[in-house]
């Protein structure tokens, strides 16, 4: 009945939606159960209206951009998902500011401003998410973070009001912001633009792309970094002196060998910490990247728990959807 009302509301307001959608088809990692209703608003106002309608009618919902940070467990089913991908306008104002709506694709945003000769976004070109989620978690790479040039964010607060929040008033840190806990919905963002040297900008983008290709998984479905860390092996080494020595020796030996993966180190780490599996749930490139080899989520989830138990201080960056208190 509740969904019928919602469907009527969506029909009347010409907002597109799909019914009984399989997450294993639409999620980036290609796992998960069925969502009864998936909605694609195409403007900030319709996003606001749907959220307020759902809240007023006690309909549980979740917002997503590209799902590039979310592991949906196979058992997970949901009632209502709202996707922001059609709310994606990007605008350069007065050659000084960039305005990007929540569903804008970060690589498109980063390339657009970079190719217009503005610096500070080059490192972000390879992060395959939406601007909204990237602000939520202060996404970043290769020396650039989304918050570097951020001026303000328009959010939809828990009371259904749109508010502009300035960077100085936002609590943020490495891959984290207050928005993750206060349930604000990011609607639109404003950044300052700084002119740079176009050929240096292009060079940096080229280097970032080459480096990503060499060091990160790009064949199997994956979600980037599993834990919020620059070096998972060092984090593991913090809790075990013998492993620390082994890691030091391996890295010293391999420094001059240009390896394109960490196969040997991964094998050794798994043996050392007794991590077993039938189908390797992580990338050859790094243990800090889960991959989908088409065998379901169970082994992937067990692997995450195994790693976390080695050093409980490590913070999960990927979100596990379908269980309580994953971190
Ligand atoms: C190959 C690969 C490489 C990656 N490399 C990097 C990297 O270098 N650096 C990095 O930081 N990340 C990286 N990531 C992770 C991911 O791309 C980023 O976290 C990205 O910001 C997630 O965007 P998304 O739209 O896919 O978010 P989603 O996965 O759709 O959502 C993530 C979270 O944000 C919430 N959310 C989504 N939209 C909104 C909104 N508008 N308002 C409020 N909450 C919202 C969701 O509810 C969810 O909790 C990588 C991922 C992949 C697959």
């Amino acid at each position: 009945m509740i969904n019928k009302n919602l469907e009527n509301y969506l029909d009347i307001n010409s907002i597109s939606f799909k019914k009984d959608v399989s997450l294993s088809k639409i999620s980036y990692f290609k796992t998960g159960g069925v969502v009864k209703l998936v909605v694609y608003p195409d403007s900030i106002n319709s996003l606001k209206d749907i959220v307020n309608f759902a809240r007023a009618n006690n309909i549980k919902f979740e917002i997503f951009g590209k799902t590039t940070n979310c592991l949906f467990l196979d058992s997970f089913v949901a009632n209502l998902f709202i996707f922001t991908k059609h709310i994606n306008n990007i605008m350069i104002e007065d050659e000084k500011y960039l305005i990007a709506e929540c569903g804008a694709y970060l690589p498109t945003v980063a390339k657009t401003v970079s190719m217009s000769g503005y610096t500070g976004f080059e490192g972000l070109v390879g992060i395959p998410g939406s601007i909204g989620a990237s602000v939520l978690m202060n996404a970043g790479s290769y020396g650039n973070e989304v918050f570097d040039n951020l001026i303000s964010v328009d959010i939809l607060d828990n009371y259904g009001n749109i508010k502009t929040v300035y960077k100085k008033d936002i609590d943020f840190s490495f891959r984290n912001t207050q928005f993750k806990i206060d349930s604000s919905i990011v609607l639109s963002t404003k950044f300052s633009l700084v002119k740079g040297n176009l050929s240096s900008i292009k060079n940096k983008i080229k280097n970032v792309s080459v480096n990503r290709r060499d060091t990160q998984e790009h064949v199997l479905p994956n979600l980037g970094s599993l834990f919020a860390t620059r070096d998972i092996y060092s984090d593991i080494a913090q809790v075990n002196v013998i492993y620390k020595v082994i890691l030091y020796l391996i890295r010293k030996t391999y420094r001059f060998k240009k390896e394109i993966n960490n196969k040997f180190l991964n094998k050794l780490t798994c043996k050392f910490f007794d991590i077993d599996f039938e189908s390797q749930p992580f990338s050859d490139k790094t243990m800090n990247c889960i991959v989908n080899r088409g065998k379901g989520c169970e082994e992937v989830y067990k692997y995450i728990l195994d790693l976390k138990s080695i050093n409980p201080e490590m913070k999960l960056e990927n979100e596990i959807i379908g269980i309580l208190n994953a971190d």
Side-chain angles (χ1 to χ4, degrees), residues 28 47 62-70 72 82-84 102-103 106 123 126-142 146 175 179 183-187 212 216-218 222-225 289 317-319 321:
Y28 200 81
L47 172 59
E62 312 255 7
I63 302 252
F64 293 101
K66 299 273 181 186
T67 68
T68 60
N69 200 42
C70 295
F72 298 99
I82 302 171
F83 275 81
T84 61
C102 55
L106 183 53
I127 303 177
S130 63
I131 273 281
S134 303
V135 165
L136 183 87
M137 61 175 300
N138 188 17
S141 63
Y142 295 93
V146 168
R175 304 293 167 268
F179 300 137
S183 309
S184 300
I185 294 170
V186 177
L187 300 175
R212 269 190 179 272
Q216 296 177 7
E217 179 65 45
H218 54 83
N222 72 88
L223 299 171
S225 297
C289 176
E317 180 166 324
N318 289 160
E319 269 175 66
I321 310 224

Side-chain angles (χ1 to χ4, degrees), residues 3 23 33-37 60 62 75-81:
N3 274 9
L23 277 172
V34 171
V35 185
K36 282 192 187 149
L37 215 55
K60 198 171 162 348
E62 312 255 7
S75 55
F76 177 72
V77 291
N79 192 46
L80 173 62
F81 273 15

Side-chain angles (χ1 to χ4, degrees), residues 183-201:
S183 309
S184 300
I185 294 170
V186 177
L187 300 175
S188 179
T189 52
K190 184 170 183 177
F191 297 88
S192 58
L193 293 176
V194 180
K195 270 282 177 202
N197 177 289
L198 189 59
S199 74
S200 320
I201 291 170

Side-chain angles (χ1 to χ4, degrees), residues 194-300:
V194 180
K195 270 282 177 202
N197 177 289
L198 189 59
S199 74
S200 320
I201 291 170
K202 282 184 176 167
N203 248 336
K204 183 166 176 195
I205 289 180
K206 196 171 155 207
N207 291 339
V208 167
S209 307
V210 170
N211 199 281
R212 269 190 179 272
R213 213 184 148 74
D214 284 352
T215 60
Q216 296 177 7
E217 179 65 45
H218 54 83
V219 178
L220 294 164
N222 72 88
L223 299 171
S225 297
L226 172 62
F227 288 96
T229 173
R230 292 189 172 95
D231 181 4
I232 194 157
Y233 305 99
S234 295
D235 284 8
I236 294 174
Q238 272 178 23
V239 294
N240 191 302
V241 180
I242 301 170
Y243 181 81
K244 194 173 191 168
V245 174
I246 294 172
L247 179 64
Y248 172 79
L249 292 174
I250 289 176
R251 287 197 161 156
K252 213 169 158 52
T253 313
Y254 277 74
R255 183 167 302 163
F256 300 107
K257 278 182 152 193
K258 214 169 179 287
E259 289 291 302
I260 58 150
N261 62 50
N262 275 312
K263 259 184 170 171
F264 177 65
L265 180 55
N266 297 343
K267 210 169 170 177
L268 192 133
T269 307
C270 289
K271 206 151 184 67
F272 193 91
F273 290 101
D274 230 2
I275 298 175
D276 61 334
F277 41 78
E278 274 172 28
S279 169
Q280 185 182 310
F282 56 85
S283 167
D284 283 340
K285 297 274 173 93
T286 167
M287 288 181 72
N288 197 27
C289 176
I290 51 171
V291 293
N292 184 351
R293 293 181 198 270
K295 307 273 182 200
C297 281
E298 213 172 293
E299 198 149 43
V300 176

